[in-house]
Amino acid sequence: MLNKKITKLLIGTNNKGKLREIRDLLPINIKTYCPKDFKLKSPIENGNTFEENCLIKSKYFSNKTGLICIADDSGLEIDLLDKKPGIHSARWGGKNSDFKKAIKKVYRELKKKDPNWKKKKIRARFVCALSISYLNKKVVISKGKVEGKISSKPKGCNGFGYDPIFILNKRNKTFGEMKPSQKSSLDHRYKAFKKIKKFL
Ligand code: IMP
């Protein structure tokens, strides 16, 4: 279906943090667009998995613009919270995607489950599903994960979302404390991207 080299690509997200990170992963010769360039709001994500939701976005934005679209659906799974917030990670920030609010909710829910959680290793992982679609057709889809634990307090101000509370295994730093170039060479988005890079 994509027998011509991709020269233009829509990045199907209205999340500024994700937009920056996906743009940084793409080859520089590809001209990128975002939904804002077309005054498009995001579709309702009513899938049950990261994969379903990223396909909803990549197909929706491609249909609306006629451009090939790459979209991601991602989130944080916390084992003690039965993998929540998971696909609802953005929604925990409320209508205005307030990440401070989302982090407070994580801490509140952890305390409800176990008042002593700060003394324990709270296993968590970031998951990212990435898809490329052209109109209503899926071109490719992939998934990446990184394992880690929850920090008992937010640390660092780089990145976005839950970055200040996620400590990657074998590192003593949160994603929020890492330089953007370091995070983007080892995170869930990068791992998913590596698998579909040959399509770009
Ligand atoms: P959605 O994929 O647009 O539904 O939103 C995913 C949500 O998961 C984001 O709004 C963030 O809250 C969170 N998230 C996904 N990836 C990352 C990441 O790399 N760092 C921090 N938070 C993330």
Side-chain angles (χ1 to χ4, degrees):
M1 186 194 325
L2 295 180
N3 35 22
K4 275 200 257 155
K5 196 100 192 104
I6 294 179
T7 53
K8 291 180 193 175
L9 184 69
L10 175 69
I11 304 173
T13 182
N14 278 311
N15 174 318
K16 281 188 201 148
K18 272 198 211 176
L19 185 64
R20 193 179 51 239
E21 293 192 358
I22 296 173
R23 205 170 249 159
D24 287 348
L25 288 169
L26 294 168
I28 47 166
N29 55 310
I30 295 183
K31 170 131 181 68
T32 58
Y33 300 85
C34 67
K36 257 204 174 147
D37 297 330
F38 300 88
K39 299 194 169 59
L40 288 174
K41 290 204 174 136
S42 301
I44 294 169
E45 296 170 32
N46 51 8
N48 293 313
T49 61
F50 291 108
E51 287 92 333
E52 281 174 19
N53 281 335
C54 80
L55 278 171
I56 288 172
K57 290 184 259 192
S58 58
K59 287 180 180 173
Y60 173 84
F61 287 125
S62 182
N63 272 321
K64 286 278 179 192
T65 59
L67 288 168
I68 298 165
C69 175
I70 184 167
D72 125 325
D73 196 66
S74 47
L76 179 67
E77 292 182 344
I78 302 174
D79 287 354
L80 187 64
L81 302 182
D82 307 312
K83 301 207 174 164
K84 285 185 205 138
I87 59 167
H88 298 122
S89 294
R91 279 167 254 181
W92 279 29
K95 259 198 259 155
N96 300 323
S97 308
D98 179 343
F99 295 127
K100 284 197 178 135
K101 187 171 164 181
I103 288 174
K104 276 194 186 146
K105 180 158 174 163
V106 166
Y107 286 157
R108 215 166 44 238
E109 295 296 317
L110 285 172
K111 199 172 167 195
K112 267 198 242 164
K113 278 269 180 183
D114 182 351
N116 262 332
W117 72 270
K118 287 193 181 181
K119 296 200 179 108
K120 299 183 182 161
K121 177 173 178 177
I122 305 296
R123 288 178 205 279
R125 74 200 53 76
F126 268 124
V127 181
C128 171
L130 264 185
S131 59
I132 299 176
S133 293
Y134 183 49
L135 305 177
N136 230 7
K137 295 230 167 70
K138 170 185 90 184
V139 176
V140 66
I141 185 161
S142 69
K143 202 169 175 184
K145 286 184 191 182
V146 277
E147 299 287 335
K149 62 180 181 189
I150 300 296
S151 169
S152 58
K153 52 180 185 218
K155 286 185 191 161
C157 32
N158 291 329
F160 69 100
Y162 300 93
D163 281 342
I165 62 165
F166 182 81
I167 301 171
L168 190 65
N169 278 352
K170 302 200 188 111
R171 313 263 160 157
N172 234 348
K173 276 182 186 173
T174 65
F175 270 170
E177 292 175 296
M178 288 183 188
K179 282 192 197 142
S181 58
Q182 191 183 7
K183 182 190 170 204
S184 68
S185 65
L186 45 73
D187 72 358
H188 47 312
R189 204 160 282 109
Y190 172 70
K191 287 187 170 181
F193 184 74
K194 253 191 350 188
K195 299 179 194 166
I196 61 170
K197 171 160 130 196
K198 60 173 182 282
F199 288 84
L200 295 163

